[in-house]
Amino acid sequence: MQITKCPSCGSGRIEKVQRDWTGEFQDKKYNIEALEFHECPLCGEQVFGRDAMRRIEARSPAFRSHRMKR
């Protein structure tokens, strides 16, 4: 995925980053190591590609009950 402009503020400074990312769902925090995504340094918008979303969904408590039903 190649993003050249921030979808929120329109800045051309959005950049691909790779770092540990922390999410939270219903007061439960979870961490994903070395997640790759795009982030705007001006407004903080984060854009996640397909692979990043799969990693987030695999760890998020929000999807836990959905995974158990399969």
Side-chain angles (χ1 to χ4, degrees):
M1 175 171 71
Q2 182 64 13
I3 297 179
T4 58
K5 284 194 174 193
C6 175
S8 290
C9 72
S11 167
R13 294 181 56 197
I14 194 163
E15 55 194 27
K16 185 183 268 188
V17 297
Q18 183 178 17
R19 65 169 176 266
D20 294 352
W21 182 86
T22 302
E24 185 174 339
F25 178 74
Q26 294 181 343
D27 297 325
K28 295 178 184 174
K29 289 188 178 186
Y30 57 99
N31 186 53
I32 300 169
E33 295 178 3
L35 186 68
E36 191 172 280
F37 57 96
H38 287 80
E39 185 172 49
C40 179
L42 297 180
C43 72
E45 176 72 16
Q46 296 177 335
V47 181
F48 303 96
R50 182 178 295 141
D51 291 336
M53 285 306 303
R54 285 184 181 138
R55 291 186 65 198
I56 291 169
E57 289 172 0
R59 296 291 309 268
S60 171
F63 294 93
R64 189 162 289 137
S65 63
H66 177 69
R67 287 190 303 267
M68 295 173 125
K69 292 177 183 177
R70 288 184 184 178

